Short mmCIF file of all heavy atoms in Angstrom, two decimals:
data_model
loop_
_atom_site.label_atom_id
_atom_site.label_comp_id
_atom_site.label_asym_id
_atom_site.label_seq_id
_atom_site.Cartn_x
_atom_site.Cartn_y
_atom_site.Cartn_z
N GLN A 111 78.83 94.83 137.59
CA GLN A 111 79.75 95.55 138.47
C GLN A 111 79.11 95.87 139.81
O GLN A 111 77.91 96.11 139.89
CB GLN A 111 80.22 96.84 137.80
CG GLN A 111 81.09 96.53 136.60
CD GLN A 111 82.08 97.64 136.32
OE1 GLN A 111 81.83 98.78 136.63
NE2 GLN A 111 83.18 97.28 135.74
N ALA A 112 79.92 95.87 140.84
CA ALA A 112 79.42 96.12 142.18
C ALA A 112 78.88 97.54 142.30
O ALA A 112 79.36 98.45 141.64
CB ALA A 112 80.56 95.93 143.18
N ALA A 113 77.90 97.71 143.16
CA ALA A 113 77.35 99.05 143.41
C ALA A 113 78.49 99.93 143.89
O ALA A 113 79.37 99.48 144.63
CB ALA A 113 76.27 98.96 144.48
N GLY A 114 78.48 101.17 143.48
CA GLY A 114 79.55 102.07 143.89
C GLY A 114 80.58 102.22 142.80
O GLY A 114 81.30 103.20 142.76
N GLN A 115 80.66 101.25 141.88
CA GLN A 115 81.56 101.42 140.75
C GLN A 115 80.79 102.14 139.66
O GLN A 115 79.60 101.91 139.47
CB GLN A 115 82.04 100.07 140.23
CG GLN A 115 83.15 99.48 141.07
CD GLN A 115 83.72 98.25 140.40
OE1 GLN A 115 83.12 97.19 140.45
NE2 GLN A 115 84.85 98.39 139.77
N THR A 116 81.48 103.01 138.94
CA THR A 116 80.78 103.83 137.96
C THR A 116 80.54 103.09 136.66
O THR A 116 79.74 103.52 135.86
CB THR A 116 81.59 105.10 137.64
OG1 THR A 116 82.85 104.68 137.10
CG2 THR A 116 81.80 105.93 138.88
N GLY A 117 81.26 102.00 136.42
CA GLY A 117 81.08 101.29 135.17
C GLY A 117 81.91 101.89 134.06
O GLY A 117 81.75 101.56 132.91
N SER A 118 82.84 102.79 134.40
CA SER A 118 83.70 103.35 133.36
C SER A 118 85.15 103.01 133.69
O SER A 118 85.48 102.71 134.83
CB SER A 118 83.52 104.86 133.26
OG SER A 118 83.89 105.47 134.47
N TYR A 119 85.99 103.09 132.67
CA TYR A 119 87.40 102.79 132.87
C TYR A 119 88.15 104.02 133.32
O TYR A 119 87.74 105.14 133.02
CB TYR A 119 88.02 102.29 131.56
CG TYR A 119 87.40 101.00 131.12
CD1 TYR A 119 86.61 100.94 130.00
CD2 TYR A 119 87.62 99.85 131.86
CE1 TYR A 119 86.02 99.75 129.61
CE2 TYR A 119 87.03 98.66 131.48
CZ TYR A 119 86.24 98.62 130.36
OH TYR A 119 85.67 97.44 129.99
N LEU A 120 89.26 103.81 133.98
CA LEU A 120 90.16 104.91 134.31
C LEU A 120 90.69 105.48 133.00
O LEU A 120 90.88 104.75 132.03
CB LEU A 120 91.35 104.39 135.12
CG LEU A 120 91.06 103.87 136.52
CD1 LEU A 120 92.30 103.19 137.09
CD2 LEU A 120 90.62 105.01 137.43
N SER A 121 90.94 106.77 132.99
CA SER A 121 91.57 107.36 131.80
C SER A 121 93.06 107.02 131.84
O SER A 121 93.59 106.66 132.89
CB SER A 121 91.39 108.87 131.81
OG SER A 121 92.17 109.43 132.87
N GLU A 122 93.74 107.18 130.70
CA GLU A 122 95.18 106.93 130.67
C GLU A 122 95.89 107.85 131.64
O GLU A 122 96.84 107.46 132.30
CB GLU A 122 95.72 107.07 129.25
CG GLU A 122 95.25 105.93 128.35
CD GLU A 122 96.01 105.85 127.03
OE1 GLU A 122 96.95 106.65 126.82
OE2 GLU A 122 95.66 104.98 126.23
N ALA A 123 95.41 109.10 131.75
CA ALA A 123 96.03 110.06 132.67
C ALA A 123 95.92 109.57 134.11
O ALA A 123 96.87 109.68 134.89
CB ALA A 123 95.36 111.43 132.52
N GLU A 124 94.76 109.00 134.45
CA GLU A 124 94.57 108.48 135.82
C GLU A 124 95.48 107.28 136.07
O GLU A 124 96.05 107.13 137.15
CB GLU A 124 93.10 108.09 136.03
CG GLU A 124 92.17 109.28 136.14
CD GLU A 124 90.69 108.92 136.04
OE1 GLU A 124 90.34 108.03 135.23
OE2 GLU A 124 89.90 109.52 136.78
N VAL A 125 95.62 106.43 135.06
CA VAL A 125 96.50 105.26 135.21
C VAL A 125 97.94 105.72 135.43
O VAL A 125 98.63 105.22 136.32
CB VAL A 125 96.40 104.34 133.96
CG1 VAL A 125 97.47 103.25 134.02
CG2 VAL A 125 95.02 103.72 133.87
N ARG A 126 98.38 106.70 134.63
CA ARG A 126 99.75 107.22 134.79
C ARG A 126 99.97 107.76 136.20
O ARG A 126 101.00 107.53 136.81
CB ARG A 126 100.02 108.32 133.76
CG ARG A 126 100.15 107.80 132.34
CD ARG A 126 100.56 108.94 131.39
NE ARG A 126 101.01 108.40 130.13
CZ ARG A 126 100.22 108.31 129.05
NH1 ARG A 126 98.98 108.73 129.09
NH2 ARG A 126 100.71 107.80 127.92
N GLN A 127 98.96 108.48 136.72
CA GLN A 127 99.05 109.07 138.05
C GLN A 127 99.21 107.98 139.12
O GLN A 127 100.06 108.08 139.99
CB GLN A 127 97.78 109.90 138.33
CG GLN A 127 97.86 110.74 139.59
CD GLN A 127 98.96 111.79 139.49
OE1 GLN A 127 98.97 112.61 138.58
NE2 GLN A 127 99.90 111.77 140.44
N ILE A 128 98.41 106.93 139.01
CA ILE A 128 98.46 105.82 139.97
C ILE A 128 99.84 105.15 139.95
O ILE A 128 100.45 104.89 140.99
CB ILE A 128 97.36 104.78 139.66
CG1 ILE A 128 95.98 105.38 139.98
CG2 ILE A 128 97.58 103.48 140.45
CD1 ILE A 128 94.81 104.61 139.38
N VAL A 129 100.35 104.91 138.73
CA VAL A 129 101.65 104.24 138.59
C VAL A 129 102.78 105.12 139.13
O VAL A 129 103.66 104.64 139.86
CB VAL A 129 101.91 103.87 137.10
CG1 VAL A 129 103.33 103.36 136.91
CG2 VAL A 129 100.89 102.83 136.64
N GLU A 130 102.72 106.42 138.82
CA GLU A 130 103.76 107.32 139.31
C GLU A 130 103.71 107.48 140.82
O GLU A 130 104.74 107.55 141.48
CB GLU A 130 103.64 108.70 138.61
CG GLU A 130 104.07 108.62 137.15
CD GLU A 130 103.89 109.92 136.38
OE1 GLU A 130 103.15 110.83 136.86
OE2 GLU A 130 104.49 110.04 135.31
N ASP A 131 102.49 107.52 141.38
CA ASP A 131 102.34 107.61 142.84
C ASP A 131 102.96 106.39 143.51
O ASP A 131 103.67 106.49 144.50
CB ASP A 131 100.86 107.71 143.25
CG ASP A 131 100.27 109.09 142.92
OD1 ASP A 131 101.04 110.00 142.55
OD2 ASP A 131 99.04 109.23 143.03
N ARG A 132 102.69 105.21 142.93
CA ARG A 132 103.20 103.96 143.49
C ARG A 132 104.72 103.89 143.39
O ARG A 132 105.41 103.47 144.31
CB ARG A 132 102.55 102.77 142.76
CG ARG A 132 103.07 101.41 143.17
CD ARG A 132 102.57 101.04 144.57
NE ARG A 132 103.21 99.83 145.05
CZ ARG A 132 102.66 98.62 144.95
NH1 ARG A 132 101.48 98.45 144.38
NH2 ARG A 132 103.30 97.57 145.44
N ALA A 133 105.25 104.36 142.23
CA ALA A 133 106.70 104.30 142.00
C ALA A 133 107.44 105.41 142.74
O ALA A 133 108.63 105.30 143.03
CB ALA A 133 106.99 104.40 140.50
N GLY A 134 106.72 106.48 143.05
CA GLY A 134 107.35 107.61 143.73
C GLY A 134 108.16 108.48 142.78
O GLY A 134 108.92 109.34 143.23
N VAL A 135 108.06 108.25 141.50
CA VAL A 135 108.79 109.06 140.50
C VAL A 135 107.87 109.30 139.30
O VAL A 135 106.88 108.59 139.12
CB VAL A 135 110.07 108.35 139.99
CG1 VAL A 135 111.09 108.19 141.11
CG2 VAL A 135 109.73 106.99 139.38
N SER A 136 108.24 110.31 138.50
CA SER A 136 107.56 110.53 137.23
C SER A 136 108.45 109.99 136.13
O SER A 136 109.60 110.40 136.00
CB SER A 136 107.34 112.03 136.98
OG SER A 136 106.43 112.53 137.95
N GLY A 137 107.93 109.06 135.35
CA GLY A 137 108.74 108.46 134.30
C GLY A 137 108.13 108.68 132.93
O GLY A 137 107.13 109.36 132.78
N THR A 138 108.77 108.07 131.95
CA THR A 138 108.27 108.14 130.58
C THR A 138 107.54 106.84 130.29
O THR A 138 108.11 105.76 130.46
CB THR A 138 109.44 108.29 129.59
OG1 THR A 138 110.18 109.44 129.97
CG2 THR A 138 108.93 108.45 128.17
N PHE A 139 106.29 106.94 129.87
CA PHE A 139 105.50 105.75 129.59
C PHE A 139 105.70 105.30 128.16
O PHE A 139 105.69 106.12 127.24
CB PHE A 139 104.00 106.02 129.84
CG PHE A 139 103.66 106.08 131.29
CD1 PHE A 139 103.87 107.25 132.02
CD2 PHE A 139 103.15 104.97 131.94
CE1 PHE A 139 103.57 107.30 133.37
CE2 PHE A 139 102.84 105.03 133.29
CZ PHE A 139 103.06 106.19 134.01
N GLY A 140 105.90 104.01 127.99
CA GLY A 140 105.95 103.43 126.66
C GLY A 140 104.56 102.97 126.32
O GLY A 140 103.64 103.78 126.24
N GLU A 141 104.39 101.68 126.20
CA GLU A 141 103.09 101.15 125.84
C GLU A 141 102.13 101.25 127.02
O GLU A 141 102.49 100.97 128.15
CB GLU A 141 103.25 99.68 125.42
CG GLU A 141 101.99 99.11 124.82
CD GLU A 141 102.15 97.68 124.37
OE1 GLU A 141 103.22 97.10 124.58
OE2 GLU A 141 101.18 97.15 123.81
N LEU A 142 100.92 101.70 126.75
CA LEU A 142 99.88 101.74 127.77
C LEU A 142 98.56 101.50 127.05
O LEU A 142 98.16 102.29 126.21
CB LEU A 142 99.86 103.11 128.46
CG LEU A 142 98.72 103.37 129.45
CD1 LEU A 142 98.75 102.38 130.61
CD2 LEU A 142 98.79 104.79 129.97
N HIS A 143 97.94 100.37 127.32
CA HIS A 143 96.67 100.11 126.66
C HIS A 143 95.76 99.31 127.59
O HIS A 143 96.22 98.64 128.49
CB HIS A 143 96.86 99.35 125.34
CG HIS A 143 97.42 97.98 125.52
ND1 HIS A 143 98.76 97.73 125.64
CD2 HIS A 143 96.80 96.78 125.61
CE1 HIS A 143 98.96 96.42 125.81
NE2 HIS A 143 97.79 95.83 125.80
N LEU A 144 94.49 99.44 127.35
CA LEU A 144 93.50 98.70 128.11
C LEU A 144 93.50 97.28 127.58
O LEU A 144 93.27 97.05 126.40
CB LEU A 144 92.13 99.36 127.90
CG LEU A 144 90.95 98.77 128.68
CD1 LEU A 144 91.16 98.97 130.17
CD2 LEU A 144 89.68 99.47 128.24
N ASP A 145 93.78 96.33 128.44
CA ASP A 145 93.95 94.98 127.98
C ASP A 145 92.64 94.21 127.94
O ASP A 145 92.22 93.75 126.92
CB ASP A 145 94.97 94.27 128.87
CG ASP A 145 95.37 92.91 128.33
OD1 ASP A 145 94.99 92.59 127.19
OD2 ASP A 145 96.03 92.16 129.05
N ARG A 146 92.01 94.06 129.07
CA ARG A 146 90.76 93.29 129.06
C ARG A 146 89.91 93.66 130.26
O ARG A 146 90.38 94.20 131.23
CB ARG A 146 91.06 91.79 129.09
CG ARG A 146 91.98 91.39 130.21
CD ARG A 146 92.26 89.92 130.27
NE ARG A 146 92.00 89.20 129.06
CZ ARG A 146 92.67 88.14 128.68
NH1 ARG A 146 93.63 87.69 129.42
NH2 ARG A 146 92.35 87.50 127.57
N VAL A 147 88.65 93.36 130.14
CA VAL A 147 87.71 93.60 131.22
C VAL A 147 87.46 92.25 131.86
O VAL A 147 87.24 91.26 131.16
CB VAL A 147 86.37 94.14 130.66
CG1 VAL A 147 85.50 94.64 131.80
CG2 VAL A 147 86.62 95.23 129.66
#
Side-chain angles (χ1 to χ4, degrees):
Q111 293 207 333
Q115 281 188 283
T116 60
S118 62
Y119 296 111
L120 293 171
S121 68
E122 290 193 3
E124 288 167 321
V125 171
R126 289 186 166 97
Q127 190 63 57
I128 291 165
V129 172
E130 289 177 343
D131 287 351
R132 175 72 188 264
V135 295
S136 294
T138 304
F139 286 82
E141 189 178 4
L142 173 62
H143 66 276
L144 183 64
D145 189 9
R146 53 179 19 149
V147 191

